[in-house]
Amino acid sequence: MRRAVVEYRGWKEGYRCGYCASAQGKVSAGMWAHSMTVQDYQDLIDRGWRRSGKYVYKPIMNQTCCPQYTIRCQALRFQTSKSHKKVLKKMLKFISKGDISKAVSEEEPMDSHIEDAVSCSFVHRSESHVSEAELTPLNEDHADVVENEDEDKGETKEEVNVKKAELDSLQICGDKDAAVPGEPSPSTKTVHAPPKPGKGADLSKPPCRKAKDIRKERKLQKLLQNQRCTLEGSPLQAEHQALLLQSSKSTTNQPKSIEDFIFVPLPDDAPHKLEFTRFLCDSPLEPENPPNGPECGYGSFHQQYWLDGKIIAVGVIDILPYCVSSVYLYYDPDYSFLSLGVYSALREIAFTRQLHEKAPDLCFYYMGFYIHSCPKMRYKGQYRPSDLLCPETYVWTPIEQCLPLLELSKYSRFNQDAKAVDEDHIKELGRVRVLHKRTIMPYSVYKKRRKGPSDEASVQQYASLVGQTCSERMLLFRS
């Protein structure tokens, strides 16, 4: 039987925060994982823990300066937003047509909460065929942000500006001196007149139509024409035409899924080729291949993004019993114009949905931590529907219910049931499993054998953070 072996390191407090720049505001607990089962880690991240390499840590939410809430996206219900579609279309256009227009887009700062045990920069120069190209790390995040979007209306700033220009062109102010009794002041009078060339819409002409809508209508007319030829004189002609119209409307009105953008067939003469490879990587997670699990098994994986034979990004993910958990993304900054952070997150959501077909329990995409107190780190909330983890009862709450509470206080209990408690809180400290001198024993036995000062306070702290279930499964190393 596989067991996790961990070495609890206690609290680490009074050190610098990368979100608010506080010199001594960060507080977290941590432990070193010599090994860990995928189920144990799944249970730990569902209690607010997170790994960085083999170091597993948990922010002390009611004390740290910038509370970090575990966030998960409901991958099976995920709907691409307008900004997400822009990123997917940009990648598709680049691959299929070779469009290399590099739209200026700022990226969110890299998630800097990773503990000191991890270096945040490297140059990939090995057999991965990156010729001296620096791969920029996005620590635990996919932090590209698609700019120029009006969140309230779902319109880009460019579209809003065009509409404003059109409205302005339709409001022509009269001569201030030419007042007419009984009518509004000339300075506020609106006169609708044909706009000058290049200045807004001409109301005397029918509104413009999108080319794709025109093509769809022509295709529908052609289909109807063919049906008319084959069904001429048949009593079923009208019924067939109605069904055809209904089918066409349902197909047209149905929003595109993420798979419609990612797995679309490319033309044979596409100028670029984007490939993906996946392989196990060094991690404390023990790989598992149960018969009812995904074909690739559970564990930690590298996902390599190859463009025309050159690696441009590497994503690190953990595939767990109930989720795909995003850990890191490293990418070549020469390709930042493709918004690789957003694109890789969307691909990982699509990958989660693929794994769900073989492993029905696997249906969530974990995105690390959501930090509402840092405005630039709120972008994860755009992947919806998503939930945040209550820091006191460890129940999942829709993010829409959490945001008003976080506006009032950076630390908040999301579970509104005042009587609700942590169902997995430590009940029997003596049942905590301990590994001492290669022998597994309950803490109640170890405590009697122990020589020297009591360590009960430290074990109590550890057990309260990992919960009763994990404390009885995992082995707490004691020297």
PDB file of all heavy atoms in Angstrom, residues 269-303:
ATOM      1  N   ASP A 269      -2.154  23.232 -46.539  1.00  0.00           N
ATOM      2  CA  ASP A 269      -1.037  24.150 -46.786  1.00  0.00           C
ATOM      3  C   ASP A 269      -0.847  25.134 -45.644  1.00  0.00           C
ATOM      4  O   ASP A 269      -0.314  26.231 -45.850  1.00  0.00           O
ATOM      5  CB  ASP A 269      -1.279  24.913 -48.096  1.00  0.00           C
ATOM      6  CG  ASP A 269      -2.583  25.709 -48.064  1.00  0.00           C
ATOM      7  OD1 ASP A 269      -3.396  25.479 -47.133  1.00  0.00           O
ATOM      8  OD2 ASP A 269      -2.783  26.566 -48.953  1.00  0.00           O
ATOM      9  N   ALA A 270      -1.274  24.769 -44.436  1.00  0.00           N
ATOM     10  CA  ALA A 270      -1.092  25.659 -43.278  1.00  0.00           C
ATOM     11  C   ALA A 270       0.393  25.962 -43.104  1.00  0.00           C
ATOM     12  O   ALA A 270       1.223  25.043 -43.106  1.00  0.00           O
ATOM     13  CB  ALA A 270      -1.652  25.011 -42.020  1.00  0.00           C
ATOM     14  N   PRO A 271       0.760  27.231 -42.943  1.00  0.00           N
ATOM     15  CA  PRO A 271       2.182  27.591 -42.865  1.00  0.00           C
ATOM     16  C   PRO A 271       2.860  27.170 -41.561  1.00  0.00           C
ATOM     17  O   PRO A 271       4.081  27.135 -41.496  1.00  0.00           O
ATOM     18  CB  PRO A 271       2.163  29.119 -42.997  1.00  0.00           C
ATOM     19  CG  PRO A 271       0.805  29.522 -42.519  1.00  0.00           C
ATOM     20  CD  PRO A 271      -0.120  28.406 -42.898  1.00  0.00           C
ATOM     21  N   HIS A 272       2.057  26.868 -40.515  1.00  0.00           N
ATOM     22  CA  HIS A 272       2.660  26.482 -39.236  1.00  0.00           C
ATOM     23  C   HIS A 272       2.024  25.192 -38.728  1.00  0.00           C
ATOM     24  O   HIS A 272       0.887  24.853 -39.081  1.00  0.00           O
ATOM     25  CB  HIS A 272       2.474  27.585 -38.194  1.00  0.00           C
ATOM     26  CG  HIS A 272       3.174  28.861 -38.538  1.00  0.00           C
ATOM     27  ND1 HIS A 272       4.543  28.982 -38.546  1.00  0.00           N
ATOM     28  CD2 HIS A 272       2.672  30.072 -38.901  1.00  0.00           C
ATOM     29  CE1 HIS A 272       4.861  30.222 -38.890  1.00  0.00           C
ATOM     30  NE2 HIS A 272       3.737  30.897 -39.116  1.00  0.00           N
ATOM     31  N   LYS A 273       2.764  24.505 -37.889  1.00  0.00           N
ATOM     32  CA  LYS A 273       2.287  23.258 -37.297  1.00  0.00           C
ATOM     33  C   LYS A 273       2.509  23.301 -35.797  1.00  0.00           C
ATOM     34  O   LYS A 273       3.645  23.456 -35.340  1.00  0.00           O
ATOM     35  CB  LYS A 273       3.032  22.062 -37.909  1.00  0.00           C
ATOM     36  CG  LYS A 273       2.529  20.703 -37.429  1.00  0.00           C
ATOM     37  CD  LYS A 273       3.281  19.581 -38.116  1.00  0.00           C
ATOM     38  CE  LYS A 273       2.752  18.219 -37.682  1.00  0.00           C
ATOM     39  NZ  LYS A 273       3.504  17.113 -38.316  1.00  0.00           N
ATOM     40  N   LEU A 274       1.425  23.187 -35.036  1.00  0.00           N
ATOM     41  CA  LEU A 274       1.497  23.210 -33.574  1.00  0.00           C
ATOM     42  C   LEU A 274       1.228  21.809 -33.050  1.00  0.00           C
ATOM     43  O   LEU A 274       0.197  21.203 -33.355  1.00  0.00           O
ATOM     44  CB  LEU A 274       0.462  24.192 -33.009  1.00  0.00           C
ATOM     45  CG  LEU A 274       0.518  24.440 -31.491  1.00  0.00           C
ATOM     46  CD1 LEU A 274       1.844  25.096 -31.113  1.00  0.00           C
ATOM     47  CD2 LEU A 274      -0.648  25.298 -31.047  1.00  0.00           C
ATOM     48  N   GLU A 275       2.168  21.267 -32.275  1.00  0.00           N
ATOM     49  CA  GLU A 275       2.061  19.918 -31.755  1.00  0.00           C
ATOM     50  C   GLU A 275       2.195  19.932 -30.235  1.00  0.00           C
ATOM     51  O   GLU A 275       2.719  20.870 -29.643  1.00  0.00           O
ATOM     52  CB  GLU A 275       3.155  19.021 -32.348  1.00  0.00           C
ATOM     53  CG  GLU A 275       3.110  18.890 -33.862  1.00  0.00           C
ATOM     54  CD  GLU A 275       4.289  18.101 -34.386  1.00  0.00           C
ATOM     55  OE1 GLU A 275       5.408  18.647 -34.408  1.00  0.00           O
ATOM     56  OE2 GLU A 275       4.083  16.931 -34.749  1.00  0.00           O
ATOM     57  N   PHE A 276       1.727  18.825 -29.633  1.00  0.00           N
ATOM     58  CA  PHE A 276       1.790  18.721 -28.180  1.00  0.00           C
ATOM     59  C   PHE A 276       2.307  17.353 -27.784  1.00  0.00           C
ATOM     60  O   PHE A 276       1.894  16.328 -28.336  1.00  0.00           O
ATOM     61  CB  PHE A 276       0.396  18.919 -27.581  1.00  0.00           C
ATOM     62  CG  PHE A 276      -0.185  20.244 -27.908  1.00  0.00           C
ATOM     63  CD1 PHE A 276      -0.932  20.413 -29.054  1.00  0.00           C
ATOM     64  CD2 PHE A 276       0.012  21.335 -27.099  1.00  0.00           C
ATOM     65  CE1 PHE A 276      -1.457  21.641 -29.394  1.00  0.00           C
ATOM     66  CE2 PHE A 276      -0.502  22.562 -27.430  1.00  0.00           C
ATOM     67  CZ  PHE A 276      -1.246  22.703 -28.583  1.00  0.00           C
ATOM     68  N   THR A 277       3.184  17.355 -26.804  1.00  0.00           N
ATOM     69  CA  THR A 277       3.663  16.102 -26.231  1.00  0.00           C
ATOM     70  C   THR A 277       3.482  16.163 -24.722  1.00  0.00           C
ATOM     71  O   THR A 277       3.483  17.241 -24.126  1.00  0.00           O
ATOM     72  CB  THR A 277       5.154  15.867 -26.553  1.00  0.00           C
ATOM     73  OG1 THR A 277       5.939  16.950 -26.023  1.00  0.00           O
ATOM     74  CG2 THR A 277       5.378  15.763 -28.043  1.00  0.00           C
ATOM     75  N   ARG A 278       3.352  15.001 -24.117  1.00  0.00           N
ATOM     76  CA  ARG A 278       3.110  14.935 -22.679  1.00  0.00           C
ATOM     77  C   ARG A 278       3.967  13.828 -22.088  1.00  0.00           C
ATOM     78  O   ARG A 278       4.030  12.728 -22.639  1.00  0.00           O
ATOM     79  CB  ARG A 278       1.621  14.671 -22.413  1.00  0.00           C
ATOM     80  CG  ARG A 278       1.204  14.713 -20.962  1.00  0.00           C
ATOM     81  CD  ARG A 278      -0.303  14.497 -20.844  1.00  0.00           C
ATOM     82  NE  ARG A 278      -1.013  15.472 -21.655  1.00  0.00           N
ATOM     83  CZ  ARG A 278      -1.696  15.163 -22.732  1.00  0.00           C
ATOM     84  NH1 ARG A 278      -1.745  13.917 -23.156  1.00  0.00           N
ATOM     85  NH2 ARG A 278      -2.324  16.097 -23.428  1.00  0.00           N
ATOM     86  N   PHE A 279       4.630  14.094 -20.976  1.00  0.00           N
ATOM     87  CA  PHE A 279       5.437  13.072 -20.353  1.00  0.00           C
ATOM     88  C   PHE A 279       5.527  13.337 -18.857  1.00  0.00           C
ATOM     89  O   PHE A 279       5.351  14.468 -18.391  1.00  0.00           O
ATOM     90  CB  PHE A 279       6.840  13.012 -20.969  1.00  0.00           C
ATOM     91  CG  PHE A 279       7.596  14.306 -20.895  1.00  0.00           C
ATOM     92  CD1 PHE A 279       8.415  14.592 -19.820  1.00  0.00           C
ATOM     93  CD2 PHE A 279       7.480  15.247 -21.907  1.00  0.00           C
ATOM     94  CE1 PHE A 279       9.112  15.795 -19.759  1.00  0.00           C
ATOM     95  CE2 PHE A 279       8.178  16.443 -21.858  1.00  0.00           C
ATOM     96  CZ  PHE A 279       8.994  16.723 -20.771  1.00  0.00           C
ATOM     97  N   LEU A 280       5.783  12.293 -18.112  1.00  0.00           N
ATOM     98  CA  LEU A 280       5.894  12.417 -16.663  1.00  0.00           C
ATOM     99  C   LEU A 280       7.096  13.261 -16.282  1.00  0.00           C
ATOM    100  O   LEU A 280       8.119  13.272 -16.960  1.00  0.00           O
ATOM    101  CB  LEU A 280       6.025  11.027 -16.024  1.00  0.00           C
ATOM    102  CG  LEU A 280       4.742  10.203 -15.897  1.00  0.00           C
ATOM    103  CD1 LEU A 280       5.087   8.757 -15.554  1.00  0.00           C
ATOM    104  CD2 LEU A 280       3.833  10.787 -14.838  1.00  0.00           C
ATOM    105  N   CYS A 281       6.959  13.985 -15.182  1.00  0.00           N
ATOM    106  CA  CYS A 281       8.072  14.811 -14.716  1.00  0.00           C
ATOM    107  C   CYS A 281       8.330  14.538 -13.243  1.00  0.00           C
ATOM    108  O   CYS A 281       7.529  13.904 -12.555  1.00  0.00           O
ATOM    109  CB  CYS A 281       7.781  16.294 -14.944  1.00  0.00           C
ATOM    110  SG  CYS A 281       6.330  16.915 -14.076  1.00  0.00           S
ATOM    111  N   ASP A 282       9.455  15.011 -12.755  1.00  0.00           N
ATOM    112  CA  ASP A 282       9.849  14.795 -11.368  1.00  0.00           C
ATOM    113  C   ASP A 282       8.878  15.504 -10.442  1.00  0.00           C
ATOM    114  O   ASP A 282       8.599  16.688 -10.594  1.00  0.00           O
ATOM    115  CB  ASP A 282      11.270  15.318 -11.153  1.00  0.00           C
ATOM    116  CG  ASP A 282      11.770  15.000  -9.760  1.00  0.00           C
ATOM    117  OD1 ASP A 282      11.340  13.969  -9.206  1.00  0.00           O
ATOM    118  OD2 ASP A 282      12.557  15.787  -9.216  1.00  0.00           O
ATOM    119  N   SER A 283       8.370  14.785  -9.470  1.00  0.00           N
ATOM    120  CA  SER A 283       7.347  15.320  -8.598  1.00  0.00           C
ATOM    121  C   SER A 283       7.221  14.405  -7.383  1.00  0.00           C
ATOM    122  O   SER A 283       7.554  13.215  -7.464  1.00  0.00           O
ATOM    123  CB  SER A 283       6.007  15.411  -9.342  1.00  0.00           C
ATOM    124  OG  SER A 283       4.925  15.530  -8.455  1.00  0.00           O
ATOM    125  N   PRO A 284       6.709  14.910  -6.262  1.00  0.00           N
ATOM    126  CA  PRO A 284       6.466  14.015  -5.125  1.00  0.00           C
ATOM    127  C   PRO A 284       5.277  13.096  -5.358  1.00  0.00           C
ATOM    128  O   PRO A 284       5.112  12.111  -4.631  1.00  0.00           O
ATOM    129  CB  PRO A 284       6.189  14.989  -3.976  1.00  0.00           C
ATOM    130  CG  PRO A 284       5.636  16.205  -4.627  1.00  0.00           C
ATOM    131  CD  PRO A 284       6.382  16.311  -5.925  1.00  0.00           C
ATOM    132  N   LEU A 285       4.454  13.379  -6.368  1.00  0.00           N
ATOM    133  CA  LEU A 285       3.272  12.565  -6.617  1.00  0.00           C
ATOM    134  C   LEU A 285       3.664  11.226  -7.220  1.00  0.00           C
ATOM    135  O   LEU A 285       4.395  11.169  -8.213  1.00  0.00           O
ATOM    136  CB  LEU A 285       2.302  13.288  -7.545  1.00  0.00           C
ATOM    137  CG  LEU A 285       1.752  14.628  -7.070  1.00  0.00           C
ATOM    138  CD1 LEU A 285       0.696  15.139  -8.042  1.00  0.00           C
ATOM    139  CD2 LEU A 285       1.167  14.510  -5.672  1.00  0.00           C
ATOM    140  N   GLU A 286       3.159  10.158  -6.621  1.00  0.00           N
ATOM    141  CA  GLU A 286       3.418   8.816  -7.136  1.00  0.00           C
ATOM    142  C   GLU A 286       2.460   8.524  -8.288  1.00  0.00           C
ATOM    143  O   GLU A 286       1.243   8.613  -8.126  1.00  0.00           O
ATOM    144  CB  GLU A 286       3.201   7.788  -6.020  1.00  0.00           C
ATOM    145  CG  GLU A 286       4.144   7.941  -4.832  1.00  0.00           C
ATOM    146  CD  GLU A 286       5.563   7.531  -5.172  1.00  0.00           C
ATOM    147  OE1 GLU A 286       5.748   6.830  -6.194  1.00  0.00           O
ATOM    148  OE2 GLU A 286       6.486   7.906  -4.424  1.00  0.00           O
ATOM    149  N   PRO A 287       2.973   8.197  -9.492  1.00  0.00           N
ATOM    150  CA  PRO A 287       2.087   7.906 -10.630  1.00  0.00           C
ATOM    151  C   PRO A 287       1.200   6.694 -10.352  1.00  0.00           C
ATOM    152  O   PRO A 287       1.642   5.734  -9.721  1.00  0.00           O
ATOM    153  CB  PRO A 287       3.054   7.635 -11.789  1.00  0.00           C
ATOM    154  CG  PRO A 287       4.405   7.986 -11.299  1.00  0.00           C
ATOM    155  CD  PRO A 287       4.384   8.051  -9.823  1.00  0.00           C
ATOM    156  N   GLU A 288      -0.028   6.779 -10.826  1.00  0.00           N
ATOM    157  CA  GLU A 288      -0.967   5.669 -10.663  1.00  0.00           C
ATOM    158  C   GLU A 288      -1.717   5.461 -11.968  1.00  0.00           C
ATOM    159  O   GLU A 288      -2.015   6.425 -12.684  1.00  0.00           O
ATOM    160  CB  GLU A 288      -1.952   5.954  -9.529  1.00  0.00           C
ATOM    161  CG  GLU A 288      -1.316   6.051  -8.151  1.00  0.00           C
ATOM    162  CD  GLU A 288      -2.341   6.278  -7.055  1.00  0.00           C
ATOM    163  OE1 GLU A 288      -3.546   5.994  -7.298  1.00  0.00           O
ATOM    164  OE2 GLU A 288      -1.964   6.737  -5.959  1.00  0.00           O
ATOM    165  N   ASN A 289      -2.029   4.212 -12.261  1.00  0.00           N
ATOM    166  CA  ASN A 289      -2.768   3.867 -13.480  1.00  0.00           C
ATOM    167  C   ASN A 289      -3.913   2.912 -13.152  1.00  0.00           C
ATOM    168  O   ASN A 289      -3.885   1.741 -13.546  1.00  0.00           O
ATOM    169  CB  ASN A 289      -1.824   3.240 -14.516  1.00  0.00           C
ATOM    170  CG  ASN A 289      -0.875   4.239 -15.127  1.00  0.00           C
ATOM    171  OD1 ASN A 289      -1.228   4.952 -16.060  1.00  0.00           O
ATOM    172  ND2 ASN A 289       0.335   4.287 -14.597  1.00  0.00           N
ATOM    173  N   PRO A 290      -4.915   3.374 -12.447  1.00  0.00           N
ATOM    174  CA  PRO A 290      -6.051   2.500 -12.126  1.00  0.00           C
ATOM    175  C   PRO A 290      -6.871   2.199 -13.377  1.00  0.00           C
ATOM    176  O   PRO A 290      -6.866   2.977 -14.332  1.00  0.00           O
ATOM    177  CB  PRO A 290      -6.858   3.330 -11.116  1.00  0.00           C
ATOM    178  CG  PRO A 290      -6.522   4.742 -11.447  1.00  0.00           C
ATOM    179  CD  PRO A 290      -5.096   4.730 -11.908  1.00  0.00           C
ATOM    180  N   PRO A 291      -7.578   1.074 -13.397  1.00  0.00           N
ATOM    181  CA  PRO A 291      -8.342   0.697 -14.596  1.00  0.00           C
ATOM    182  C   PRO A 291      -9.448   1.674 -14.955  1.00  0.00           C
ATOM    183  O   PRO A 291      -9.814   1.800 -16.119  1.00  0.00           O
ATOM    184  CB  PRO A 291      -8.918  -0.681 -14.216  1.00  0.00           C
ATOM    185  CG  PRO A 291      -8.868  -0.725 -12.725  1.00  0.00           C
ATOM    186  CD  PRO A 291      -7.675   0.076 -12.323  1.00  0.00           C
ATOM    187  N   ASN A 292      -9.984   2.373 -13.967  1.00  0.00           N
ATOM    188  CA  ASN A 292     -11.069   3.329 -14.234  1.00  0.00           C
ATOM    189  C   ASN A 292     -10.576   4.766 -14.334  1.00  0.00           C
ATOM    190  O   ASN A 292     -11.358   5.705 -14.276  1.00  0.00           O
ATOM    191  CB  ASN A 292     -12.138   3.236 -13.150  1.00  0.00           C
ATOM    192  CG  ASN A 292     -11.575   3.530 -11.754  1.00  0.00           C
ATOM    193  OD1 ASN A 292     -10.363   3.463 -11.551  1.00  0.00           O
ATOM    194  ND2 ASN A 292     -12.439   3.832 -10.818  1.00  0.00           N
ATOM    195  N   GLY A 293      -9.262   4.930 -14.486  1.00  0.00           N
ATOM    196  CA  GLY A 293      -8.696   6.264 -14.580  1.00  0.00           C
ATOM    197  C   GLY A 293      -8.400   6.648 -16.015  1.00  0.00           C
ATOM    198  O   GLY A 293      -8.683   5.894 -16.956  1.00  0.00           O
ATOM    199  N   PRO A 294      -7.812   7.823 -16.231  1.00  0.00           N
ATOM    200  CA  PRO A 294      -7.465   8.252 -17.592  1.00  0.00           C
ATOM    201  C   PRO A 294      -6.366   7.378 -18.169  1.00  0.00           C
ATOM    202  O   PRO A 294      -5.595   6.751 -17.439  1.00  0.00           O
ATOM    203  CB  PRO A 294      -6.991   9.696 -17.387  1.00  0.00           C
ATOM    204  CG  PRO A 294      -6.537   9.757 -15.975  1.00  0.00           C
ATOM    205  CD  PRO A 294      -7.422   8.816 -15.213  1.00  0.00           C
ATOM    206  N   GLU A 295      -6.288   7.327 -19.498  1.00  0.00           N
ATOM    207  CA  GLU A 295      -5.308   6.468 -20.158  1.00  0.00           C
ATOM    208  C   GLU A 295      -3.876   6.837 -19.786  1.00  0.00           C
ATOM    209  O   GLU A 295      -3.012   5.966 -19.690  1.00  0.00           O
ATOM    210  CB  GLU A 295      -5.495   6.542 -21.677  1.00  0.00           C
ATOM    211  CG  GLU A 295      -6.805   5.938 -22.161  1.00  0.00           C
ATOM    212  CD  GLU A 295      -6.932   5.972 -23.667  1.00  0.00           C
ATOM    213  OE1 GLU A 295      -5.977   6.457 -24.323  1.00  0.00           O
ATOM    214  OE2 GLU A 295      -7.970   5.530 -24.192  1.00  0.00           O
ATOM    215  N   CYS A 296      -3.613   8.118 -19.594  1.00  0.00           N
ATOM    216  CA  CYS A 296      -2.258   8.552 -19.242  1.00  0.00           C
ATOM    217  C   CYS A 296      -1.951   8.309 -17.774  1.00  0.00           C
ATOM    218  O   CYS A 296      -0.795   8.434 -17.343  1.00  0.00           O
ATOM    219  CB  CYS A 296      -2.075  10.029 -19.571  1.00  0.00           C
ATOM    220  SG  CYS A 296      -3.219  11.131 -18.715  1.00  0.00           S
ATOM    221  N   GLY A 297      -2.971   7.972 -16.978  1.00  0.00           N
ATOM    222  CA  GLY A 297      -2.768   7.753 -15.560  1.00  0.00           C
ATOM    223  C   GLY A 297      -2.789   9.056 -14.771  1.00  0.00           C
ATOM    224  O   GLY A 297      -2.948  10.147 -15.332  1.00  0.00           O
ATOM    225  N   TYR A 298      -2.617   8.933 -13.464  1.00  0.00           N
ATOM    226  CA  TYR A 298      -2.549  10.090 -12.584  1.00  0.00           C
ATOM    227  C   TYR A 298      -1.095  10.408 -12.274  1.00  0.00           C
ATOM    228  O   TYR A 298      -0.230   9.541 -12.325  1.00  0.00           O
ATOM    229  CB  TYR A 298      -3.294   9.826 -11.272  1.00  0.00           C
ATOM    230  CG  TYR A 298      -4.770   9.547 -11.435  1.00  0.00           C
ATOM    231  CD1 TYR A 298      -5.307   8.311 -11.067  1.00  0.00           C
ATOM    232  CD2 TYR A 298      -5.627  10.512 -11.954  1.00  0.00           C
ATOM    233  CE1 TYR A 298      -6.663   8.051 -11.209  1.00  0.00           C
ATOM    234  CE2 TYR A 298      -6.978  10.256 -12.104  1.00  0.00           C
ATOM    235  CZ  TYR A 298      -7.491   9.023 -11.730  1.00  0.00           C
ATOM    236  OH  TYR A 298      -8.832   8.768 -11.878  1.00  0.00           O
ATOM    237  N   GLY A 299      -0.822  11.648 -11.935  1.00  0.00           N
ATOM    238  CA  GLY A 299       0.532  12.066 -11.588  1.00  0.00           C
ATOM    239  C   GLY A 299       0.834  13.444 -12.134  1.00  0.00           C
ATOM    240  O   GLY A 299      -0.069  14.196 -12.518  1.00  0.00           O
ATOM    241  N   SER A 300       2.117  13.791 -12.179  1.00  0.00           N
ATOM    242  CA  SER A 300       2.567  15.101 -12.657  1.00  0.00           C
ATOM    243  C   SER A 300       3.123  14.962 -14.070  1.00  0.00           C
ATOM    244  O   SER A 300       3.896  14.036 -14.350  1.00  0.00           O
ATOM    245  CB  SER A 300       3.641  15.666 -11.729  1.00  0.00           C
ATOM    246  OG  SER A 300       3.116  15.855 -10.422  1.00  0.00           O
ATOM    247  N   PHE A 301       2.762  15.904 -14.928  1.00  0.00           N
ATOM    248  CA  PHE A 301       3.142  15.825 -16.331  1.00  0.00           C
ATOM    249  C   PHE A 301       3.656  17.170 -16.839  1.00  0.00           C
ATOM    250  O   PHE A 301       3.233  18.223 -16.365  1.00  0.00           O
ATOM    251  CB  PHE A 301       1.945  15.413 -17.199  1.00  0.00           C
ATOM    252  CG  PHE A 301       1.433  14.031 -16.915  1.00  0.00           C
ATOM    253  CD1 PHE A 301       0.550  13.814 -15.867  1.00  0.00           C
ATOM    254  CD2 PHE A 301       1.824  12.957 -17.703  1.00  0.00           C
ATOM    255  CE1 PHE A 301       0.066  12.536 -15.606  1.00  0.00           C
ATOM    256  CE2 PHE A 301       1.346  11.682 -17.443  1.00  0.00           C
ATOM    257  CZ  PHE A 301       0.467  11.470 -16.397  1.00  0.00           C
ATOM    258  N   HIS A 302       4.567  17.089 -17.816  1.00  0.00           N
ATOM    259  CA  HIS A 302       4.947  18.248 -18.615  1.00  0.00           C
ATOM    260  C   HIS A 302       4.153  18.185 -19.917  1.00  0.00           C
ATOM    261  O   HIS A 302       4.085  17.137 -20.558  1.00  0.00           O
ATOM    262  CB  HIS A 302       6.440  18.224 -18.956  1.00  0.00           C
ATOM    263  CG  HIS A 302       7.311  18.748 -17.858  1.00  0.00           C
ATOM    264  ND1 HIS A 302       8.666  18.526 -17.826  1.00  0.00           N
ATOM    265  CD2 HIS A 302       7.028  19.482 -16.768  1.00  0.00           C
ATOM    266  CE1 HIS A 302       9.185  19.100 -16.753  1.00  0.00           C
ATOM    267  NE2 HIS A 302       8.203  19.681 -16.090  1.00  0.00           N
ATOM    268  N   GLN A 303       3.584  19.306 -20.310  1.00  0.00           N
ATOM    269  CA  GLN A 303       2.955  19.409 -21.616  1.00  0.00           C
ATOM    270  C   GLN A 303       3.791  20.362 -22.454  1.00  0.00           C
ATOM    271  O   GLN A 303       3.895  21.543 -22.131  1.00  0.00           O
ATOM    272  CB  GLN A 303       1.521  19.926 -21.494  1.00  0.00           C
ATOM    273  CG  GLN A 303       0.548  18.904 -20.944  1.00  0.00           C
ATOM    274  CD  GLN A 303      -0.890  19.346 -21.108  1.00  0.00           C
ATOM    275  OE1 GLN A 303      -1.248  20.460 -20.766  1.00  0.00           O
ATOM    276  NE2 GLN A 303      -1.726  18.470 -21.628  1.00  0.00           N
TER     277      GLN A 303
END
